Amino acid sequence: MRFLRQLGAQAEPIMDAYLAGSVADDVLEPGVQGRLVKHGILYRPEPGADLHLRRVVRALLEEALRDERNRQIDANTGSALASFKTLADHYKEAHHQGDYAAAEVYLADLREHVYAFGETLQHSIRVLWSRINNEFGYVGTLNAKIRENELAQTQVSELLSGLELVSFQALAESAGDLRELRHLLVTNLQRTLSACTQELSIVQGRLLEQLGRFREIRGRTRLLKGWLLHMEQHPDYEVGPHAAARLVPQLFNQAAPVLAPASLDIHDSTLEFELLALLAPIRAKQTQDRPVQSLGDAPDLTLHTPDAFEVTSSPIRAAVDAYFCQVIDSGQAISALDYHCQETLPWDAESWLYQVIGGYDGLPEEQKHHFELDMLGESHPLYSGNFIIRDLRLWLA
């Protein structure tokens, strides 16, 4: 009450401080100055400086007067979410302990915070719309408008980034099975954020559109200023008949060609049919252009008796066949390495095992199902999927 009474009683020096940014010590009487400082309306930021308005008083005046210079936007969503969670925990604890009076107080406090959060978002959007509709008229130059527009875009991005922090799953877990909390933290907040996010997207689009228009105006202004400067330095300049000029002056012909040179992309599989269609007539033309050789010009063809040759059998292959035959004769399972040692075969053990596996795989299907080949070994200790073969065991199925 005293705060509001002081605002009403000392409205004139407060408005002077609001418009000028500060008020000197000799303007106010010592008693008035002391009361305004005591009630938190004015403060001295550093020793020897003039008195300034407190931030809350300036924000109150900016909102009440709808001042377009209001650039402050609250994008601290994380702090608001922490407050929601803390108050929700207070409410749940009081509710579980049966202290319903305290629970109602906490619920009313939480409801006020949620409503204030939505109101802050809507206020920030109204401030942005006001600055867009007035085209940042509180600054004079075009470059200042562009800077203000970029500042507004940054604030929109911060607001959208802050809204992305809201996790309704986490809020639902905080609310638990309490209907009032779920309605307040999930239903109400989701409806508010959905509307604000949609409107912020529209604001961001309008800001980008306006920034492009500002830059276009700045480019035209620079061109016009350059033209005026040229006319001042060359007062006898006369514009020639452009309609009669057949060639574009080199000064205006600096742009790169719009169309790049055409070339085939043989790596694009989607153009396979078109490329084949282009290639087909070329191949047909090559066939037609090929010189035809008459039979009379062809050399004589004489058939001779083919030379007889004998396919020499591989010794290791013969040893594998003998190994298979011994398995058939004995009817027992025989180890490949035991046979290798028994017959003192000259090949190393690894080549022998490879040859036995190849001989088994090379059998026809009707013969292979009469044998069973067991691979003896162990899996690799480090690399999964690798099996180290130590020996083979072959027997009749």
Side-chain angles (χ1 to χ4, degrees):
M1 183 61 73
R2 292 179 180 177
F3 176 79
L4 296 177
R5 188 178 297 115
Q6 288 298 324
L7 284 180
Q10 307 298 334
E12 187 174 352
I14 290 175
M15 285 305 300
D16 292 341
Y18 175 76
L19 295 176
S22 62
V23 58
D25 292 340
D26 54 355
V27 175
L28 299 176
E29 297 179 358
V32 175
Q33 178 180 336
R35 287 194 297 273
L36 292 178
V37 172
K38 179 182 177 182
H39 291 93
I41 298 175
L42 296 178
Y43 78 106
R44 197 181 305 277
E46 56 184 359
D50 293 334
L51 293 171
H52 289 67
L53 280 177
R54 290 280 183 189
R55 178 69 194 95
V56 290
V57 180
R58 175 171 290 277
L60 177 65
L61 293 176
E62 287 174 346
E63 175 63 19
L65 300 174
R66 298 187 180 278
D67 194 343
E68 298 171 357
R69 295 177 298 176
N70 184 13
R71 300 180 178 85
Q72 301 300 323
I73 289 178
D74 187 8
N76 191 2
T77 307
S79 176
L81 292 176
S83 301
F84 297 164
K85 187 175 184 303
T86 302
L87 291 174
D89 292 340
H90 292 343
Y91 172 76
K92 288 192 295 185
E93 183 181 15
H95 191 273
H96 291 160
Q97 292 177 354
D99 190 356
Y100 297 108
E104 287 299 324
V105 173
Y106 288 131
L107 182 62
D109 195 8
L110 177 60
R111 186 180 293 113
E112 188 64 28
H113 276 71
V114 172
Y115 291 162
F117 178 69
E119 177 64 21
T120 303
L121 285 176
Q122 293 170 358
H123 170 71
S124 301
I125 295 173
R126 285 200 304 272
V127 170
L128 290 170
W129 274 120
S130 173
R131 295 158 68 183
I132 290 174
N133 292 331
N134 292 305
E135 297 185 348
F136 307 96
Y138 49 89
V139 290
T141 63
L142 192 59
N143 288 331
K145 292 178 184 293
I146 292 176
R147 286 193 292 271
E148 290 289 336
N149 187 293
E150 292 172 346
L151 171 64
Q153 290 188 40
T154 304
Q155 292 172 340
V156 172
S157 300
E158 290 177 354
L159 283 173
L160 291 174
S161 300
L163 295 183
E164 290 179 356
L165 296 176
V166 180
S167 172
F168 288 102
Q169 182 178 0
L171 291 175
E173 292 176 357
S174 299
D177 56 350
L178 298 175
R179 186 176 58 85
E180 293 83 1
L181 281 183
R182 295 186 69 87
H183 177 75
L184 191 60
L185 294 180
V186 180
T187 307
N188 187 290
L189 200 57
Q190 190 172 26
R191 183 169 56 247
T192 303
L193 294 189
S194 176
C196 291
T197 303
Q198 185 177 4
E199 194 165 2
L200 281 174
S201 300
I202 299 174
V203 168
Q204 196 171 34
R206 288 287 302 275
L207 285 173
L208 288 173
E209 180 183 356
Q210 199 173 55
L211 180 62
R213 190 161 58 84
F214 285 160
R215 288 176 175 172
E216 183 180 359
I217 294 173
R218 185 175 61 178
R220 290 181 179 178
T221 304
R222 288 178 177 174
L223 183 61
L224 182 59
K225 288 182 178 178
W227 169 254
L228 294 176
L229 181 62
H230 177 77
M231 291 300 295
E232 290 178 358
Q233 295 177 352
H234 303 83
D236 54 346
Y237 176 77
E238 294 182 359
V239 180
H242 292 292
R246 291 178 297 175
L247 299 177
V248 178
Q250 191 63 27
L251 176 64
F252 302 104
N253 193 20
Q254 299 294 330
V258 177
L259 297 177
S263 60
L264 289 176
D265 185 5
I266 59 174
H267 301 289
D268 189 355
S269 60
T270 60
L271 302 176
E272 181 179 358
F273 294 103
E274 288 77 1
L275 294 177
L276 289 176
L278 293 173
L279 186 62
I282 297 175
R283 295 178 59 185
K285 185 178 180 181
Q286 288 179 351
T287 305
Q288 293 173 0
D289 294 342
R290 183 179 302 170
V292 179
Q293 189 177 19
S294 62
L295 293 178
D297 300 334
D300 296 336
L301 179 62
T302 305
L303 298 178
H304 301 282
T305 304
D307 297 335
F309 62 92
E310 182 180 359
V311 178
T312 58
S313 60
S314 173
I316 191 170
R317 176 65 182 171
V320 170
D321 293 341
Y323 171 59
F324 277 72
C325 290
Q326 185 170 355
V327 170
I328 296 173
D329 294 339
S330 63
Q332 302 293 328
I334 300 177
S335 167
L337 289 183
D338 291 345
Y339 183 82
H340 180 271
C341 295
Q342 175 186 347
E343 299 295 332
T344 60
L345 298 177
W347 306 284
D348 58 275
E350 184 177 1
S351 301
W352 169 248
L353 295 178
Y354 270 117
Q355 193 63 37
V356 171
I357 295 174
Y360 176 78
D361 292 336
L363 291 175
E365 290 298 329
E366 62 273 12
Q367 298 180 9
K368 181 183 290 186
H369 71 271
H370 292 296
F371 294 95
E372 289 290 342
L373 182 65
D374 191 9
M375 299 181 182
L376 306 178
E378 69 276 358
S379 300
H380 196 279
L382 298 179
Y383 304 105
S384 60
N386 293 329
F387 186 78
I388 301 174
I389 300 175
R390 301 296 184 187
D391 194 3
L392 298 172
R393 184 171 56 188
L394 184 70
W395 71 90
L396 293 175

